[in-house]
Amino acid sequence: MIQGAFAGIKNLLIGLGVTFKNMVTKPVTVQYPEVKRTMPERYRGRHFLNRDENGLERCIGCSLCSINCPVGCIHVVSAENDPENRVSPGERYAAVYEINLLRCIYCGYCEEACPVDAVVLREHYELADYDRDKYIATKEDLLVYPKPNEFRVNILGNTERVNR
Amino acid sequence: MADNEVTLTIDDQTITVPKGTKVVDAAKTVGIEIPVFCYHEKLGSLGCCRMCLVEVEKMPKLMTACTMDVGPDMVVKTTTERVEKAQKGVLEFTLLNHPLDCPVCDKGGECPLQNNTFKYGPGDTRMDFQRANNLKAAPLSPVITLDRERCIACQRCTRYSEVIEQDRALVMLNRGFHNEVGTFNNEPYDTRFSGNVIDICPVGALTNTQFRFKARTWDLTNSDTLCAHCGCNCNMTLGVRTNKFMRIESRPNDYVDDGWICDKARWGYDFLESKNRIMEARTTLDGASKTLPVKDAAAQAANALKKIADEHGPGSIGFIGSPYGTNEELYLYQKLFRQQLGTNNIDHKVYAETPGLPIPHYDVSEIETSDLVLVIASDPTEELPILDLRIKKVVTRGNAKLAVLNDQSTLMDRYAHLSLRYDIGAAAQVFAALANTLAGEKGEVQDTGITGEQLNSLMDMLKSSKKTTIIYNPAALTGQSVDVLKHLLSEIGKISSMECGAIPAAPYTNAVGALDMGVLPNYYPGGVPLADAEAVKQQSGENSPLEAGLSAMEMIEKANSGELKALLVHRANPVVDFPGSKKIADALKKLDLLIVHDMLETETSQLAGIVLPSNGPGHDDGTTTNIGGRVQFRKGGLKTTNAPDWKIISMMAKTLGDETDYITSFSVTDEIAKMVPGYGDISKKSIKKMGLARTAAQYQNGTKPDSAKSQPAKSDGLKLRIASYLFAHDKILDADSRLAHQFKPSTVHLHEDDAKKLGLKNGDDVIVVSGDTQVRAEVEISGKCNPGGVVLPRISDEQGVLGLAGADGISSVEIRKA
């Protein structure tokens, strides 16, 4: 019986050890939305469409993202470029480029399939909204140049939004 | 094993194929694929791309499978190391200067070069120098764009132009590295069949300007449909994306089109999205024009017709259908008018033609096995272009002789072994003379423009032939000459040493179907004549009307005199398409009620009291019967909110007490199979792939026509022949059409003698006058017709040539200087 009591105390101390250790270590959770987490660079969040060095759209409207999409959430309608007034450097461009963010599973296959590195998934993960219609990301939504990181690490080692 | 068969082994599989088969085709029969670029089964061998190299036992070097005929006990290997190395090498060479355009290229996804590279090619390139640059978008014609960088010089397109089209418009220019596809003097490549080079191009070099960068091939919803222009009913694929028309491609069916379609089929579908479409039902009966739901409009139309039929008798209403309607629409309309409204005033045409032939009705593919093709009054090049390719094919390959009997010269004459040109209006006399000679009597050919000798040489050709196909165009035969022709056909059929058959080649989508469906004043469906009351009652019920109805032209006359009160016009435009245009409009204005059920706004729909929308080809499902009697399914591809035609007609019938429920267009097809003699085997399943030939209606009128009647009327003026032009500027090919570059100015063809008499020279502006109709035209002095006649091709609706024609199609005109 005494043996049993010792084993109990030992286990209790082990358990309390974990508790006390975690009392002084940095918490895993963050106080969202006051505090926001920095995502790794290769995190697959919201999509963006890149522009090239001349400011033209990189997307050539080839629809390879759309055909590779396992859930079929990308809709591309392409058109021929006017050589005088180019939209993209190639012969064609995407006249319509829409992603249904509700249907998207954020697998990143579109990014992998893209032959011109136009569509990318960035670290932006705050996608909540009140209106379902707003989840259809159109070209205007996608072509904004995403700021690399809007958050910084604070003293506690957590993140907070810059310019707030 | 027969003498003409060869047994060989390909990849350890032993096969027996006919002698003369190429190894590449033999392999295909057992499912072994040998990659090719330049070879195409319809174009034959060339062996310039070297993609099809295979190893043959006892041959020291690799052989091209596309140029090599099968030999007895040949052992072919297609997957050895040597072959694979050669394939990799060939592809490496082919890809040397081929741009890596695939994400942008319209061919991407259906490209033989892409597929072959993926399957047989090297995984990577060893080249690190710049690829050759060339013109990326050279317009070869307003509808074809050539990407010179992508061309791999396989010569499929140039061989197509030489072997199939036979006018060598597209050729290979320059030599060696500078070898490129082009035309003489950089003229546009705008033949009647130019679009097929897009389909056969194994890379994305020749692209469809209309489809250029509009969608990727895998995004398209393709529906297997039929062309709805001429009577060939070529098979084609309609590519649609998000309910928008994208492109048309050919879909080979050897029984119908031999794998090709004409440019009108490929680019003549802009009307699908035309501004001119009738999208809503409207009525002007209650005063001002207002739109109303289709269902209400159909009920209103049916009730109004019934009311007039009750008040003035069933003879006071009539129906003018169209040879462009599907079998279902035509069948339901004649049923509505006969069973519900009790009239036989039903017609679809202005020429004389009766259902049934005294000799077998040949399928188009029968031309291939014939050794004589006799073309009568038909101009396949302009009227039925794919038939033209088929005739050229058999004639130039030496399998058949071609005889042409026509009143105008056509492009067919170039290939003809015997070409007889009779005077315009003398058709009946010539046919009668020929029939008499065949029957052993004396055939008189004086005053017809052809000599007795010429007639005899035609006779000799007929008699020495073993199988003859006779192609005639009933729409070009005026007056009663069709009856005389049918008598001639029966005389030809009596030649015992010869098999023969005819193809009634009226240039309308469903001209044969319209005859079969009984859209005629004196025949019930399946060619059952009114005279045979027993048969009619057995087929269509006790209450079927039996008094002869009015033909389309008679209906117009009666409308003018006020005896006809109401008329329903389905997919037809009598004001422009019937002879005597101004008179037609006046007559139609006198009607109490004109209902037009049409797809596009026409001159006739402007006069209508009730207008019903028709979806037409591209939207509606239905079956059509082509000139060879083959019934095929024409699938719609685009969706629309309007009810299909068959449903609108069925709504009308239901308003008047009909209780039949049709669920799909095939429910109507099933009823046709049950009710129409000759269509018994037609069903959704049986016509699915290749279509099915229906049994031709029995020929009723075997008696010899009265020759006195067939004498051409004597008159002072020049006799007019209205010719067809494939790319006429009408409602279908409107001003916005992609084929607008093919439109021609109004031209009148005169014989040299007549021109001299009138003091006219080439290029003079003249007015062609008949009665109070005047048509402006430019003079072209050509040998297109015999002296005493003029040929005036119909080039547009505005031109108004049909105003010149008399009610029976014959007319003499006067030519004045403008």
Side-chain angles (χ1 to χ4, degrees):
Chain A
M1 201 192 82
I2 296 170
Q3 238 180 350
F6 271 114
I9 292 165
K10 189 187 160 200
N11 284 341
L12 186 71
L13 287 175
I14 292 170
L16 280 172
V18 173
T19 310
F20 289 127
K21 203 170 109 197
N22 275 307
M23 259 174 75
V24 293
T25 52
K26 192 179 113 183
V28 180
T29 51
V30 294
Q31 288 300 314
Y32 185 84
E34 284 80 29
V35 183
K36 318 218 177 201
R37 192 181 282 289
T38 313
M39 286 301 163
E41 251 177 52
R42 293 170 71 177
Y43 179 74
R44 300 196 300 264
R46 186 169 161 311
H47 312 69
F48 288 97
L49 284 173
N50 280 337
R51 287 182 185 274
D52 69 1
E53 55 274 21
N54 302 323
L56 294 174
E57 288 169 21
R58 290 190 84 103
C59 178
I60 49 164
C62 71
S63 286
L64 286 175
C65 47
S66 156
I67 192 69
N68 271 288
C69 182
V71 289
C73 70
I74 307 181
H75 176 66
V76 186
V77 177
S78 52
E80 187 165 3
N81 254 323
D82 173 12
E84 305 290 300
N85 206 357
R86 285 188 170 281
V87 179
S88 78
E91 279 181 286
R92 67 199 270 168
Y93 72 97
V96 175
Y97 193 101
E98 290 174 353
I99 301 180
N100 186 341
L101 295 176
L102 282 177
R103 199 187 276 183
C104 178
I105 56 167
Y106 301 93
C107 64
Y109 282 9
C110 48
E111 185 174 350
E112 251 177 77
C114 186
V116 288
D117 295 339
V119 65
V120 284
L121 274 71
R122 295 293 296 266
E123 57 272 33
H124 298 64
Y125 59 88
E126 290 189 301
L127 303 171
D129 208 313
Y130 292 103
D131 192 351
R132 275 173 171 266
D133 289 350
K134 291 192 181 150
Y135 283 98
I136 310 285
T138 58
K139 256 177 89 174
E140 290 94 73
D141 305 328
L142 296 169
L143 272 168
V144 292
Y145 187 72
K147 287 175 194 149
N149 214 336
E150 287 187 334
F151 315 114
R152 72 165 177 227
V153 183
N154 68 8
I155 300 167
L156 287 171
N158 288 323
T159 51
E160 60 185 15
R161 195 182 279 270
V162 183
N163 307 330
R164 217 225 203 150
Chain B
M1 195 178 71
D3 280 351
N4 51 1
E5 286 189 331
V6 174
T7 301
L8 74 157
T9 311
I10 303 179
D11 283 352
D12 303 328
Q13 292 194 58
T14 310
I15 50 169
T16 307
V17 289
K19 225 177 204 171
T21 312
K22 304 292 173 201
V23 173
V24 66
D25 286 333
K28 218 183 272 170
T29 59
V30 284
I32 297 168
E33 197 202 326
I34 299 173
V36 290
F37 289 124
C38 69
Y39 180 73
H40 187 283
E41 55 176 1
K42 304 278 180 196
L43 299 175
S45 311
L46 181 67
C48 81
C49 75
R50 319 307 289 176
M51 190 62 225
C52 61
L53 290 173
V54 289
E55 200 173 331
V56 181
E57 250 175 38
K58 292 176 193 160
M59 287 195 184
K61 286 190 173 180
L62 297 179
M63 300 298 294
T64 45
C66 78
T67 55
M68 191 168 50
D69 285 357
V70 289
D73 305 323
M74 197 181 234
V75 180
V76 181
K77 286 175 184 150
T78 70
T79 50
T80 61
E81 229 168 81
R82 273 176 80 199
V83 172
E84 275 169 17
K85 186 171 176 243
Q87 285 170 340
K88 279 201 172 69
V90 169
L91 276 165
E92 197 166 26
F93 258 128
T94 309
L95 291 169
L96 259 188
N97 281 315
H98 189 83
L100 292 180
D101 254 0
C102 304
V104 186
C105 179
D106 281 329
K107 199 80 176 183
E110 53 175 21
C111 173
L113 179 60
Q114 212 176 23
N115 295 346
N116 286 343
T117 308
F118 192 70
K119 243 175 158 173
Y120 307 99
D124 210 343
T125 175
R126 291 186 290 168
M127 309 300 157
D128 46 12
F129 48 80
Q130 275 277 310
R131 286 159 205 273
N133 281 333
N134 215 330
L135 216 52
K136 282 303 275 181
L140 204 56
S141 82
V143 285
I144 303 176
T145 307
L146 171 61
D147 189 317
R148 292 206 182 281
E149 272 187 13
R150 292 184 195 145
C151 179
I152 58 167
C154 69
Q155 301 178 33
R156 267 192 187 184
C157 52
T158 55
R159 272 184 306 145
Y160 166 80
S161 186
E162 185 183 332
V163 179
I164 306 291
E165 278 191 294
Q166 306 194 3
D167 52 8
R168 294 191 188 180
L170 208 57
V171 287
M172 294 306 286
L173 302 170
N174 308 330
R175 292 288 183 96
F177 188 72
H178 303 287
N179 202 210
E180 61 177 28
V181 174
T183 53
F184 168 73
N185 209 12
N186 264 334
E187 296 282 326
Y189 173 55
D190 54 0
T191 60
R192 287 175 188 80
F193 310 99
S194 64
N196 291 314
V197 296
I198 297 165
D199 287 349
I200 57 174
C201 182
V203 293
L206 292 156
T207 52
N208 187 337
T209 309
Q210 177 183 30
F211 181 60
R212 202 168 155 81
F213 304 136
K214 266 173 90 181
R216 301 316 302 270
T217 51
W218 57 78
D219 279 336
L220 299 179
T221 314
N222 288 321
S223 50
D224 293 350
T225 184
L226 304 179
C227 175
H229 288 315
C230 77
C232 293
N233 293 187
C234 298
N235 292 203
M236 61 186 206
T237 308
L238 177 71
V240 171
R241 190 181 181 213
T242 59
N243 208 26
K244 284 213 172 63
F245 167 72
M246 288 287 150
R247 68 162 178 193
I248 278 163
E249 282 196 300
S250 66
R251 180 164 61 93
N253 180 348
D254 285 357
Y255 292 108
V256 179
D257 51 34
D258 212 18
W260 315 114
I261 56 174
C262 70
D263 282 7
K264 194 171 177 185
R266 198 177 298 266
W267 289 297
Y269 279 85
D270 288 333
F271 70 86
L272 289 174
E273 287 165 351
S274 163
K275 286 173 282 189
N276 206 19
R277 276 188 89 86
I278 299 174
M279 301 303 285
E280 283 169 316
R282 63 170 192 261
T283 173
T284 51
L285 289 190
D286 320 321
S289 169
K290 63 166 190 186
T291 58
L292 70 170
V294 172
K295 207 174 172 185
D296 299 349
Q300 196 184 2
N303 286 327
L305 282 172
K306 183 78 184 162
K307 202 178 147 210
I308 292 175
D310 287 346
E311 274 173 26
H312 304 277
S316 63
I317 57 170
F319 169 67
I320 294 179
S322 151
Y324 288 101
T326 62
N327 288 335
E328 284 72 17
E329 293 154 19
L330 293 162
Y331 172 80
L332 286 178
Y333 258 129
Q334 67 84 26
K335 191 180 162 198
L336 172 75
F337 274 80
R338 287 198 166 119
Q339 306 303 330
Q340 257 79 41
L341 296 163
T343 180
N344 270 325
N345 294 347
I346 297 167
D347 205 356
H348 72 277
K349 56 179 177 44
V350 287
Y351 52 91
E353 166 76 320
T354 49
L357 288 167
I359 53 175
H361 190 145
Y362 268 179
D363 203 350
V364 178
S365 55
E366 298 271 3
I367 296 174
E368 303 242 346
T369 49
S370 303
D371 49 17
L372 175 65
V373 180
L374 174 58
V375 177
I376 299 175
S378 172
D379 181 4
T381 320
E382 301 290 3
E383 290 160 357
L384 302 150
I386 291 304
L387 192 63
D388 161 274
L389 288 189
R390 185 85 74 150
I391 297 170
K392 276 189 214 165
K393 178 179 165 185
V394 289
V395 173
T396 50
R397 293 194 184 168
N399 302 339
K401 283 185 172 172
L402 173 66
V404 176
L405 187 60
N406 206 337
D407 53 2
Q408 59 161 338
S409 73
T410 63
L411 287 172
M412 276 287 107
D413 291 341
R414 215 172 106 196
Y415 303 91
H417 297 84
L418 178 69
S419 171
L420 305 187
R421 199 165 316 140
Y422 53 84
D423 289 347
I424 293 167
Q429 257 180 309
V430 174
F431 300 155
L434 198 54
N436 287 346
T437 324
L438 276 171
E441 296 165 31
K442 197 169 170 283
E444 284 187 28
V445 284
Q446 62 212 32
D447 298 335
T448 58
I450 59 174
T451 61
E453 275 165 44
Q454 285 177 319
L455 209 62
N456 285 337
S457 51
L458 178 59
M459 204 74 60
D460 293 341
M461 278 177 100
L462 275 169
K463 282 189 171 152
S464 61
S465 151
K466 286 198 181 67
K467 184 173 177 182
T468 305
T469 306
I470 299 155
I471 296 161
Y472 72 95
N473 177 9
L477 293 172
T478 49
Q480 297 307 309
S481 46
V482 170
D483 295 333
V484 189
L485 177 69
K486 291 220 167 157
H487 175 65
L488 167 64
L489 291 182
S490 65
E491 288 295 338
I492 293 174
K494 284 178 194 158
I495 303 175
S496 54
S497 60
M498 173 183 76
E499 270 183 78
C500 76
I503 298 176
Y508 314 111
T509 316
N510 199 17
V512 176
L515 291 174
D516 286 344
M517 291 304 126
V519 186
L520 291 166
N522 39 10
Y523 288 91
Y524 267 75
V528 178
L530 285 180
D532 196 351
E534 277 307 305
V536 169
K537 280 184 180 162
Q538 212 182 348
Q539 180 196 27
S540 309
E542 288 296 320
N543 298 329
S544 313
L546 286 170
E547 59 278 13
L550 304 169
S551 72
M553 283 317 289
E554 284 165 351
M555 276 188 249
I556 300 289
E557 269 168 44
K558 296 275 182 191
N560 200 29
S561 66
E563 283 166 73
L564 194 83
K565 305 281 181 199
L567 190 63
L568 195 156
V569 178
H570 176 231
R571 296 274 310 273
N573 184 12
V575 175
V576 169
D577 294 339
F578 281 20
S581 52
K582 266 180 208 153
K583 283 170 236 155
I584 309 280
D586 293 340
L588 292 179
K589 276 178 200 157
K590 286 183 187 163
L591 286 168
D592 289 355
L593 175 66
L594 175 65
I595 304 167
V596 172
H597 184 183
D598 209 339
M599 180 171 76
L600 300 165
E601 292 287 358
T602 61
E603 288 79 357
T604 312
S605 75
Q606 302 299 332
L607 306 173
I610 300 176
V611 176
L612 295 165
S614 162
N615 296 328
H619 293 93
D620 278 2
D621 292 348
T623 61
T624 55
T625 310
N626 83 345
I627 49 170
R630 185 163 286 270
V631 184
Q632 300 178 91
F633 180 53
R634 185 167 84 200
K635 198 178 167 189
L638 295 155
K639 288 185 192 73
T640 168
T641 46
N642 276 340
D645 286 15
W646 59 265
K647 206 163 206 166
I648 294 177
I649 307 164
S650 143
M651 279 178 208
M652 289 196 232
K654 272 186 184 166
T655 313
L656 300 180
D658 183 75
E659 279 166 6
T660 329
D661 259 323
Y662 303 107
I663 300 152
T664 64
S665 76
F666 279 116
S667 322
V668 190
T669 318
D670 290 344
E671 189 176 317
I672 291 174
K674 228 184 294 163
M675 303 295 288
V676 182
Y679 280 69
D681 296 334
I682 307 299
S683 69
K684 185 178 180 178
K685 219 172 171 187
S686 66
I687 59 170
K688 198 176 170 191
K689 270 208 174 125
M690 293 300 204
L692 187 72
R694 59 88 169 106
T695 319
Q698 230 170 8
Y699 180 60
Q700 303 290 346
N701 185 9
T703 53
K704 192 174 162 185
D706 190 2
S707 61
K709 248 166 92 182
S710 54
Q711 289 290 335
K714 292 266 181 265
S715 61
D716 310 328
L718 296 161
K719 287 209 187 60
L720 174 71
R721 161 73 140 103
I722 297 169
S724 311
Y725 178 57
L726 181 62
F727 303 108
H729 180 186
D730 50 17
K731 301 287 175 295
I732 295 292
L733 300 184
D734 57 15
D736 300 332
S737 169
R738 272 164 204 284
L739 294 167
H741 63 282
Q742 298 273 22
F743 295 162
K744 285 234 171 88
S746 181
T747 312
V748 59
H749 296 267
L750 279 172
H751 193 269
E752 212 180 339
D753 300 354
D754 294 324
K756 218 175 264 171
K757 256 185 250 169
L758 293 162
L760 293 170
K761 56 182 193 300
N762 263 334
D764 279 355
D765 268 335
V766 291
I767 304 173
V768 186
V769 188
S770 168
D772 52 359
T773 315
Q774 302 190 335
V775 173
R776 289 188 83 94
E778 201 175 283
V779 172
E780 188 177 329
I781 298 166
S782 59
K784 205 162 168 65
C785 58
N786 287 346
V790 290
V791 178
L792 188 55
R794 183 185 170 175
I795 52 97
S796 74
D797 278 356
E798 284 92 64
Q799 185 195 19
V801 285
L802 276 131
L804 298 172
D808 54 355
I810 308 165
S811 70
S812 45
V813 293
E814 206 183 312
I815 292 184
R816 287 188 208 139
K817 269 193 182 164

